[in-house]
């Protein structure tokens, strides 16, 4: 059998690391003074293990809702005599100044800090502790690290004037002493910070990323003209001075001067500038000029282009300046320029790069678009690209919108058979992260649609609580986007269908019942019975199935009032009536709640619905089921004068007699227990008859599904007792015998297929 995408198992190292992090107190640590977690005295961990522990810990914190962060986790790595850290990647607001200070004695070689907005200039001072060993440093998106007291609250006393309490630019820090630093990413450096002053002490840089940085002067870049191999100036305003400075960096192999959009660019890329790049920067293998305004004289007229198939040979290039290349580029970024429409482009890869923090978000955007065209070619690589992009650019709208759309297509059923369980779980985590962190309509819609591509609830069960909480949060606003609301309610309904009762109870406590009733109330106000209305009632039917607490919540939240209002407002909506009556059947199964249904108004409504022909027999059947459970409590609880109990029972008998016992059902029973309890009794023969009819219908129409269930739950023995009771009506006894015969025949020939074709069942409740 061919391996599925993402099917490679986790390494033993990864499995052991995750296990240790989930069980720190049982593996590496003990509970110290004031419950502080301490490393055991007999532990010594080399850098390979420590790096893996810290980086995996960060991943779990951000992607696994079941993982509990540990207070002072980084303190475990404070002593280099017992733990060694060399390569650490920390990201987002979870990271604090004290976390970096905890590891200040470590000899770090690589430190990547991405979007760590809770870091202040205290962390700049901590960075100096690593200056003798640090080779690679990333501060991408760490906007507050260059300010003192960036995270400190202002003084509560308005009369107190303490300048130290408000954020102030840190002016004392530079990279003096970072002699080994080779790779530096300062993407998003605040405009108040002078990049030249900050960087001047660095003598040995080979890679520099200044994305989204405003440069006051540019000549300082020439101090690395003999060493710099990679320069990223994404979204940096180009000028003649900066371009001329670039030409002096003759050892550049990678140059990114792309922009987010042509609309924000004042600089025009000319044929002369492109020619100079080719002629002066002879070592270039990668060039990104996306998003620039290109003058028309850069391209060869269509009628003069080389004939034949598209070629990457520089001499055939449709772009004049690139005809002078000695060899094709490895990568050429031309997105959002007029040059991307030409025939011959001298590059092995056009608009295809590996995403990393700080890279051109616009190029990633187009890369995600190309995923739609190359899914069949390399499914796993497509997944890797999209997942990495969404993780690294969680605050970029274009990436989140396009990436979430790409995941929808990647998880489509056409490609599903090629995807491993592990890969699909990783996608679910990324989708839920997007729903959690990016409250934008298109992203929310794409994420919800992507979840619809999974088997629900089976594939989402490992994140059951989290996904329900997110969906309920989406449905909270009174005026939610209509399409998102419809998809979210559909998902909610699917998630509470065919799951264990403890799942339903947990979701009920999250406010599920109240949220659905709020949606119903809103639709009633708008006098609109649409899919949201019907799905909401269906979801309530599902979540109350054999779950008394949720049935009680329904009654407490004025559910019966909404039921009556919906019946009155939408008298001809058959699907709605079926869902509502199915839900009330669940409520009626709870003995302590039945007295709340025993009012003249409700009994009259249920009695009238016995005559309904809506949805075949379903509405009449469910109404009779509600009344059967009420009748089962005996005549002594029937305290009302009208309607009389005997009259209602007569109507129930007449309704049951009118049903076609071969009716195919839009219903699904997981257990017969609520029906079986109505069999061996003489208080209400009509309830007994309804239960026997229900069993006969199900085992005769769907024998392969329901005969085993009835036998397993002891239904045959209870039917024998029905035959023994004098109070049982002849019609009931006759039907009980037919049910027993059907089960006996099935036991003798379990492969029987007569009338056994399955349908798409609705949930019973």
């Amino acid at each position: 059998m061919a391996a599925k995408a993402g099917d490679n198992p986790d390494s033993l190292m990864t499995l052991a690391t995750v296990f240790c992090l989930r069980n720190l107190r049982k593996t590496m640590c003990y509970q110290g003074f004031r419950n502080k977690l301490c490393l055991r005295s007999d532990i010594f961990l080399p850098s390979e293990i420590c790096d893996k522990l810290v980086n995996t810990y960060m991943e779990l914190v951000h992607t696994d809702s079941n993982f509990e962060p540990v207070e002072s986790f980084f303190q475990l790595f404070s002593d280099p005599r017992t733990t060694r850290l060399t390569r650490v990647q920390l990201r987002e607001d979870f990271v604090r100044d004290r976390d970096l200070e905890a590891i200040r004695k470590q000899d770090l070689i690589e430190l990547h800090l991405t979007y760590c907005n809770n870091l202040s200039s205290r962390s700049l001072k901590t960075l100096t502790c690593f200056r003798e060993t640090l080779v690679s440093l990333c501060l991408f998106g760490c906007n507050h690290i260059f300010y003192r007291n960036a995270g400190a609250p202002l003084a509560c006393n308005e009369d107190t004037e303490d300048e130290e309490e408000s954020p102030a630019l840190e002016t004392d820090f530079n990279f003096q002493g970072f002699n080994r630093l080779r790779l530096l990413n300062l993407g998003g450096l605040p405009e108040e910070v002078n990049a030249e002053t900050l960087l001047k002490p660095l003598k040995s840089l080979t890679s520099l990323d200044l994305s989204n940085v405003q440069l006051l002067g540019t000549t300082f870049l020439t101090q690395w003209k003999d060493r710099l191999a990679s320069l990223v100036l994404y979204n940096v305003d180009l000028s003649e001075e900066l371009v001329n400075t670039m030409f002096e960096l003759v050892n550049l192999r990678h140059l990114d001067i792309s922009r987010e959009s042509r609309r924000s660019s004042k600089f025009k890329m000319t044929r002369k500038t492109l020619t100079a790049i080719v002629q002066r920067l002879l070592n270039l293998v990668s060039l990104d000029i996306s998003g620039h305004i290109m003058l028309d004289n850069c391209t060869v007229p269509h009628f003069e282009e080389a004939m034949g198939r598209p070629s990457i040979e520089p001499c055939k290039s449709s772009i004049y300046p690139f005809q002078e290349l000695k060899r094709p580029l490895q990568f050429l970024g031309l997105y959002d320029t007029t040059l991307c429409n030409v025939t011959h482009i001298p590059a092995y890869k056009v608009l295809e790069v590996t995403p990393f923090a700080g890279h051109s978000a616009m190029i990633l955007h187009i890369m995600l678009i190309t995923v739609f065209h190359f899914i069949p070619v390399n499914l796993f690589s497509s997944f890797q690209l999209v997942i990495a992009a969404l993780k690294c650019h969680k605050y970029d709208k274009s990436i989140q919108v396009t990436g979430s759309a790409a995941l929808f297509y990647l998880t489509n059923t056409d490609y599903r058979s090629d995807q491993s369980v592990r890969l699909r779980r990783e996608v679910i985590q990324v989708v839920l992260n997007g729903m959690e962190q990016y409250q934008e309509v298109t992203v929310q819609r794409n994420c919800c649609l992507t979840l619809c591509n999974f088997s629900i609830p089976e594939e989402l069960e490992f994140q059951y609580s989290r996904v329900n909480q997110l969906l309920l949060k989406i449905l909270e606003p009174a005026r939610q986007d209509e399409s998102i609301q419809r998809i979210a309610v559909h998902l909610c309904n699917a998630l509470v269908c065919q799951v264990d009762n403890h799942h339903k109870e947990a979701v009920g406590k999250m406010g599920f019942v109240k949220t659905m009733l709020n949606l119903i109330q809103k639709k009633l106000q708008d006098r609109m019975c649409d899919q949201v209305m019907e799905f909401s009632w269906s979801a309530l039917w599902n979540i109350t199935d054999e779950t008394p607490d949720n049935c009680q919540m329904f009654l407490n939240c004025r559910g019966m009032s909404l039921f009556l209002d919906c019946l009155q407002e939408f008298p001809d909506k058959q699907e709605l009536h079926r869902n509502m009556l199915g839900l009330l059947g669940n409520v009626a199964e709870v003995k302590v709640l039945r007295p709340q249904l025993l009012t003249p108004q409700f009994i009259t409504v249920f009695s009238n619905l016995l005559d309904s022909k809506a949805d075949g027999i379903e509405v009449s059947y469910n109404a009779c089921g509600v009344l059967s459970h009420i009748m089962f409590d005996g005549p002594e609880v029937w305290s009302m004068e009208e309607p009389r109990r005997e009259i209602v029972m007569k109507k129930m008998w007449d309704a049951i007699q009118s049903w076609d016992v071969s009716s195919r059902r839009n219903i699904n029973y997981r257990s017969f227990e609520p029906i079986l309890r109505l069999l061996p009794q003489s208080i209400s023969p009509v309830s007994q008859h309804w239960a026997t009819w229900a069993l006969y219908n199900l085992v005769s129409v769907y024998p392969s599904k329901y005969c085993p269930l009835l036998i397993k739950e002891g239904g045959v023995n209870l039917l024998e007792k029905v035959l023994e009771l004098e109070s049982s009506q002849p019609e009931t006894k006759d039907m009980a015998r037919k049910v027993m015969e059907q089960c006996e025949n099935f036991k003798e020939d379990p492969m029987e297929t007569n009338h056994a074709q399955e349908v798409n069942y609705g949930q019973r409740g």
Side-chain angles (χ1 to χ4, degrees):
M1 181 184 292
K4 294 186 176 182
D7 211 13
N8 294 332
D10 285 326
S11 66
L12 181 58
M13 174 74 161
T14 298
L15 293 172
T17 301
V18 172
F19 179 82
C20 286
L21 289 170
R22 293 187 186 278
N23 300 275
L24 284 172
R25 290 175 177 82
K26 298 178 181 178
T27 53
M28 302 161 41
C29 304
Y30 66 92
Q31 204 81 30
F33 182 64
R34 291 185 178 177
N35 292 327
K36 181 181 178 182
L37 206 61
C38 302
L39 200 66
R40 283 171 38 188
S41 59
D42 58 345
I43 293 286
F44 172 78
L45 300 175
S47 60
E48 294 84 357
I49 293 177
C50 289
D51 292 349
K52 185 77 171 177
L53 283 167
V54 170
N55 296 331
T56 304
Y57 175 80
M58 292 302 299
E59 189 70 18
L60 289 172
V61 164
H62 288 103
T63 63
D64 190 343
S65 61
N66 295 320
F67 183 76
E68 290 291 334
V70 178
E71 186 70 23
S72 302
F73 171 78
F74 292 92
Q75 284 292 336
L76 300 176
F77 305 90
S78 61
D79 189 351
R81 293 172 299 180
T82 55
T83 55
R84 297 280 177 82
L85 284 173
T86 55
R87 293 175 171 83
V88 176
Q89 298 182 20
L90 310 178
R91 58 191 174 95
E92 301 176 39
D93 296 350
F94 179 80
V95 182
R96 309 278 177 161
D97 291 320
R98 64 173 179 267
D99 298 324
L100 275 187
E101 290 171 354
I103 60 173
R104 65 186 181 277
K105 294 181 181 178
Q106 297 286 353
D107 294 332
L108 293 186
I109 296 173
E110 295 179 8
L111 176 60
H112 287 198
L113 304 173
T114 309
Y115 291 118
C116 298
N117 286 320
N118 278 328
L119 297 182
S120 70
S121 63
R122 281 174 53 190
S123 289
L124 286 180
K125 296 174 182 177
T126 304
L127 286 182
T128 61
C129 298
F130 310 127
R131 62 181 179 273
E132 295 181 3
T133 58
L134 212 55
V135 174
S136 176
L137 174 63
C138 172
L139 299 178
F140 182 79
C142 300
N143 297 328
H144 299 154
I145 198 170
F146 291 94
Y147 295 90
R148 295 191 297 272
N149 303 308
L154 294 176
C156 296
N157 189 341
E158 295 181 0
D159 297 330
T160 304
E161 296 183 2
D162 188 348
E163 294 183 1
E164 286 299 309
E165 288 298 325
S166 59
L169 187 67
E170 177 60 68
T171 57
D172 295 336
F173 176 82
N174 60 37
F175 285 105
Q176 189 69 44
F178 287 74
N179 299 326
R180 296 189 63 192
L181 197 61
R182 299 291 185 271
L183 293 83
L184 179 61
N185 185 335
L186 292 177
L189 186 73
E191 59 181 280
E192 296 91 346
V193 179
N194 188 307
E196 179 176 357
T197 303
L198 187 67
L199 297 171
K200 192 170 184 179
L202 296 173
K203 304 300 181 185
S204 304
L205 282 185
T206 60
S207 175
L208 179 61
D209 189 328
L210 295 175
S211 298
N212 286 297
V213 175
Q214 291 191 5
L215 299 176
L216 299 178
T218 62
T219 55
F220 72 94
L221 294 172
T222 59
Q223 65 180 307
W224 305 295
K225 64 181 180 180
D226 296 327
R227 301 186 61 91
L228 206 61
S230 174
L231 178 62
V232 178
L233 299 174
Y234 168 66
N235 260 359
V236 174
D237 293 328
L238 294 185
S239 63
E240 290 297 328
E241 178 191 349
L242 178 52
V243 170
N244 290 329
T245 300
M246 284 183 340
F247 293 154
E248 296 188 47
L249 308 177
V250 293
N251 285 308
L252 278 181
R253 293 175 58 80
H254 169 69
L255 176 62
D256 182 349
I257 52 175
S258 60
R259 296 194 61 80
E260 183 176 354
S261 171
R262 280 185 284 178
R263 291 191 296 271
S264 60
S265 176
K266 297 178 181 178
F267 183 86
K268 292 180 175 59
M269 190 68 68
T270 64
R271 178 174 173 177
K272 177 181 177 182
T273 302
L274 278 182
T275 301
I277 290 175
V278 172
Q279 292 177 343
R280 301 286 294 274
L281 305 179
L282 300 177
N283 294 307
L284 272 188
V285 296
S286 172
L287 175 64
D288 196 340
I289 55 174
S290 300
H292 276 287
I293 298 173
M294 313 295 299
L295 296 187
D296 293 336
N297 63 355
C298 288
T299 57
V300 176
H302 181 67
F303 62 87
E304 291 185 11
E305 284 189 318
M307 301 296 290
R309 295 168 60 85
S311 172
I312 63 170
E313 295 179 40
C315 63
K316 295 182 180 180
S317 173
S318 301
I319 305 168
Y320 280 124
F322 294 146
Q323 292 178 354
E324 298 191 35
L325 285 169
K326 304 299 182 187
R327 57 193 175 279
L329 294 170
Q330 292 295 318
F331 167 74
L332 179 59
L334 300 174
Y335 174 67
D336 199 25
T337 72
T338 55
L339 304 182
C340 62
N341 298 318
V342 299
T343 304
H344 305 295
I345 301 177
Y348 291 103
K349 294 183 180 181
V350 180
L351 303 174
E352 182 170 353
V353 291
T354 302
F356 58 92
H359 190 81
S360 163
M362 186 55 71
I363 298 306
L364 277 178
H365 173 66
I366 191 61
M367 273 304 302
L368 294 175
I369 293 175
T370 63
V371 161
F372 297 115
H373 303 291
F374 294 108
I375 286 173
V377 178
N378 195 330
L379 182 64
F380 189 50
S381 294
S382 298
F383 268 116
Q384 286 181 312
L385 171 67
V386 176
I387 289 170
L390 289 172
K391 284 183 177 180
C392 292
H393 293 271
K394 62 166 54 176
Y395 302 112
D396 187 288
K397 179 179 178 180
S398 64
I399 297 294
Q400 292 296 319
V401 169
T402 312
S404 56
L407 283 182
F408 169 74
Y409 285 100
L410 283 167
T411 54
N412 193 292
T413 51
D414 291 344
Y415 312 109
R416 179 173 176 175
S417 60
D418 299 321
Q419 300 164 21
S420 69
V421 172
R422 178 185 169 197
L423 178 62
R424 287 176 71 81
R425 283 194 169 196
E426 186 175 5
V427 171
I428 290 169
Q429 293 277 24
V430 171
V431 168
L432 297 182
N433 290 345
M435 293 171 66
E436 210 164 47
Q437 298 157 353
Y438 205 83
Q439 306 301 316
E440 197 275 335
V441 171
T442 309
V443 174
Q444 294 281 349
R445 184 186 300 113
N446 290 347
C447 289
C448 287
L449 284 170
T450 301
L451 291 179
C452 292
N453 284 340
F454 291 84
S455 295
I456 304 172
E458 295 84 6
E459 287 191 281
L460 299 182
E461 197 159 3
F462 79 108
Q463 289 284 286
Y464 193 77
S465 264
R466 185 184 182 200
V467 68
N468 274 290
Q469 286 173 335
L470 288 170
L471 289 171
L472 292 179
K473 185 176 181 181
I474 286 175
L475 292 170
E476 275 180 11
R479 290 287 180 182
Q480 177 59 275
D481 175 87
E482 191 69 27
S483 62
I484 295 179
Q485 192 178 67
R486 184 172 60 253
I487 302 164
V489 174
H490 164 73
L491 285 167
C492 283
N493 188 22
L495 280 162
V496 293
C497 180
Q498 303 284 19
V499 293
D500 293 335
N501 288 353
H502 75 273
H503 279 321
K504 296 180 182 181
E505 290 169 356
V507 175
K509 291 175 182 176
M510 292 178 193
F512 187 100
V513 174
K514 186 175 182 180
T515 297
M516 294 301 131
L517 290 173
N518 286 341
L519 291 173
I520 292 167
Q521 177 72 56
K522 179 64 185 63
K523 291 298 178 182
L524 264 173
Q525 291 173 358
D526 295 343
R527 306 185 72 178
M528 182 182 298
C529 183
D530 56 6
Q531 285 186 321
V532 172
M533 169 73 90
E534 291 179 358
F535 283 158
S536 297
W537 278 108
S538 180
L540 289 170
W541 183 7
N542 285 321
I543 200 173
T544 54
D545 180 33
E546 297 185 38
T547 316
D549 286 351
N550 291 341
C551 293
Q552 180 72 69
M553 288 182 201
F554 170 79
L555 296 177
N556 292 347
C557 295
R558 295 182 60 252
M560 291 304 295
S561 175
L562 289 176
F563 161 68
L564 294 176
D565 291 343
C566 285
L567 270 182
Q568 182 177 354
E569 186 66 39
F570 310 111
D572 301 321
K573 295 294 183 178
Q574 299 185 12
E575 183 76 10
L576 178 68
H577 293 184
R578 182 182 73 90
N579 292 341
M580 292 193 300
L581 266 294
L583 156 64
L584 294 183
N586 292 336
V587 177
E589 289 173 4
V590 184
K591 182 176 177 61
V592 296
L593 301 182
R594 285 200 284 269
Q596 297 186 56
L597 304 180
L598 196 57
T599 69
Q601 184 181 28
F602 294 150
I603 296 299
T604 299
V605 168
F606 299 145
S607 182
N608 290 338
L609 288 171
L610 290 171
D611 299 326
S612 172
K613 304 301 180 186
D615 199 16
I617 68 168
E618 296 301 331
V619 172
S620 178
Y621 171 88
N622 285 329
C624 197
V626 173
L627 290 169
S628 292
H629 288 286
I630 292 174
M631 294 296 177
F632 179 63
D633 290 336
E636 61 273 10
V637 302
W638 198 276
S639 57
M640 69 192 83
E641 293 184 5
E642 293 291 338
R644 291 165 54 196
R645 187 169 183 268
E646 293 76 16
I647 299 298
V648 175
M649 286 196 294
K650 175 65 168 59
K651 289 195 69 173
M652 292 169 65
W653 274 104
D654 292 343
I656 297 171
Q657 298 285 56
S658 71
W659 301 337
D660 181 358
V661 79
S662 64
S663 298
R664 304 190 69 80
R665 309 297 305 287
N666 189 12
I667 199 167
N668 182 33
Y669 282 94
R670 293 185 299 120
S671 170
F672 283 143
E673 194 278 329
I675 293 178
L676 296 179
R677 72 172 72 132
L678 299 178
L679 290 179
Q681 50 92 13
S682 57
I683 298 173
S684 176
V686 70
S687 303
Q688 186 186 62
H689 191 62
W690 174 83
T692 310
W693 188 97
L695 294 176
Y696 182 47
N697 166 254
L698 294 169
V699 298
S700 59
V701 178
Y702 310 108
S704 61
K705 180 177 178 67
Y706 288 120
C707 283
L709 180 61
L710 184 60
I711 294 168
K712 176 185 175 183
E713 296 191 337
V716 175
N717 293 333
L718 293 174
L719 288 166
E720 289 176 348
K721 293 181 179 179
V722 170
L723 298 178
E724 297 170 2
L725 288 170
E726 292 184 6
S727 59
S728 300
Q729 296 297 306
E731 302 98 314
T732 307
K733 290 183 178 182
D734 182 55
M735 201 166 284
R737 291 188 191 96
K738 292 178 180 179
V739 176
M740 294 166 66
E741 289 172 6
Q742 191 75 30
C743 290
E744 191 63 33
N745 292 338
F746 180 82
K747 284 195 294 184
E748 292 176 0
D749 184 11
M751 297 303 292
E752 179 189 349
T753 57
N754 188 32
H755 301 301
Q757 182 179 357
E758 293 291 341
V759 296
N760 291 324
Y761 295 102
Q763 167 70 316
R764 188 184 73 86

